[in-house]
Amino acid sequence: MRVRYGAPVSHVASGDDGVRVAVAGAHAVTLAADVLIGADGIHSTVRTEVFGPEEEYLRPLGMRAAAFIVTEPDLNRRFRNRFILTDSIHRTAGLYSLRSDEMAAFMVYREDPGETPPERSETTRERLRREFVGLGQAIDRLLELCPEHPYDDVVAQIVMPDWHKGRTVLVGDACGAVSLLAGQGGSLAIAGAALLGDILGPAASPEGIVPALTEFQRRFRPVVEEAQAAGRRAASSFLPANRTQRFLRRWIIRASHAPGIDRLVARQIVGRIAK
């Protein structure tokens, strides 16, 4: 098996005899294969090439998430082995120390559908500073050090009627993104890939490929749909929209520390993951 780095897919053509994939980069080439597996994330190029525009499948959850890492020894010492999350409405910032002198910042904020996209009006760094300034000295310090181009993306899910078309199939976030706030994306991608391999591997002829892809979708779709439903609930509760929702989140966090309740919460979380 040959691995090509820095070689993005530029075009996909499907036929009865297989799939042809044009790969860009320093050594552009067209590859022929029996099956194309698109595992290229929520903004999948393979999905766009084969299934159509991203807008048809992207389901925004009304917020954006940003993250970056900066070097700040003083904050690193102050928050050693701790994760801090602001108790705020419409915007939440989290920070935690890494093993070196670095600090990791994680920020979630609501997105106004009618607002001009940040790339057209202001830089992402300017937008984050405008959204999160005033949430405390530590957050303000991290905003001062924020890199010019931090990670910033929509919090969304991918919902599709079908995960395969011809001999192309999608796995992971490309077909069933749960959302950044819900987690499980990596676990679902690995589990889905393993199941796909188990089902597709025994196919003894080209005629067996499409039935195998259909069976993969039939068996794994319920798992993804359950995780996505939980992800929507997690997103709505993670970022309080008013004081009532903030009070409810405070109560849940405090209750989770009570004897017996903490074990109940842990069992519920483990139970959902196990499913």
Side-chain angles (χ1 to χ4, degrees):
M1 181 181 68
R2 184 175 182 181
V3 179
R4 300 171 185 267
Y5 295 97
V9 172
S10 60
H11 180 67
V12 176
S14 300
D16 295 335
D17 58 342
V19 185
R20 287 175 174 77
V21 183
V23 177
H27 303 285
V29 66
T30 298
L31 306 173
D34 292 326
V35 181
L36 172 61
I37 301 173
D40 48 345
I42 190 170
H43 300 299
S44 168
T45 300
V46 173
R47 185 185 63 233
T48 298
E49 282 289 317
V50 178
F51 296 85
E54 177 177 291
E55 293 75 16
E56 296 183 12
Y57 310 110
L58 190 74
R59 302 291 184 270
L61 299 181
M63 57 194 79
R64 298 184 68 87
F68 57 88
I69 296 175
V70 298
T71 300
E72 222 302 347
D74 291 339
L75 288 181
N76 183 280
R77 288 190 295 269
R78 177 182 172 187
F79 296 109
R80 176 76 65 180
N81 298 323
R82 298 170 63 192
F83 175 78
I84 305 298
L85 192 67
T86 63
D87 186 26
S88 44
I89 297 173
H90 289 306
R91 53 180 182 161
T92 294
L95 59 91
Y96 54 97
S97 62
L98 302 178
R99 293 183 179 179
S100 59
D101 288 337
E102 295 178 324
M103 291 293 298
F106 175 67
M107 301 178 174
V108 182
Y109 56 104
R110 294 200 179 276
E111 183 177 44
D112 184 354
E115 188 175 355
T116 303
E119 62 270 17
R120 296 181 183 177
S121 61
E122 60 185 346
T123 67
T124 301
R125 178 168 58 187
E126 291 170 342
R127 182 183 178 93
L128 293 180
R129 288 174 175 173
R130 174 171 57 82
E131 291 281 351
F132 290 94
V133 67
L135 285 184
Q137 293 181 349
I139 302 301
D140 288 348
R141 175 56 178 162
L142 292 177
L143 291 173
E144 290 178 7
L145 300 174
C146 178
E148 184 178 359
H149 301 292
Y151 170 84
D152 180 82
D153 200 1
V154 62
V155 177
Q157 297 185 338
I158 294 294
V159 180
M160 304 181 66
D162 289 297
W163 297 350
H164 69 92
K165 185 175 182 180
R167 294 194 190 180
T168 298
V169 63
L170 304 175
V171 296
D173 281 357
C175 64
V178 177
S179 89
L180 288 168
L181 301 183
Q184 303 187 61
S187 299
L188 287 172
I190 293 172
L195 178 61
L196 177 61
D198 290 342
I199 296 175
L200 187 59
S205 66
E207 290 72 23
I209 293 176
V210 173
L213 302 184
T214 301
E215 177 64 10
F216 161 68
Q217 177 176 305
R218 184 192 70 81
R219 291 174 57 177
F220 204 60
R221 177 183 285 278
V223 178
V224 172
E225 289 180 343
E226 182 177 354
Q228 287 184 324
R232 290 189 290 272
R233 294 192 296 269
S236 63
S237 62
F238 182 85
L239 196 60
N242 50 55
R243 293 182 178 180
T244 300
Q245 292 183 6
R246 183 174 64 178
F247 175 80
L248 179 61
R249 189 178 72 167
R250 288 177 182 174
W251 184 87
I252 293 174
I253 293 174
R254 291 171 181 171
S256 66
H257 294 286
I261 299 297
D262 56 347
R263 292 190 293 273
L264 177 62
V265 172
R267 283 198 299 269
Q268 290 292 326
I269 294 174
V270 173
R272 289 179 181 177
I273 294 175
K275 292 179 180 180

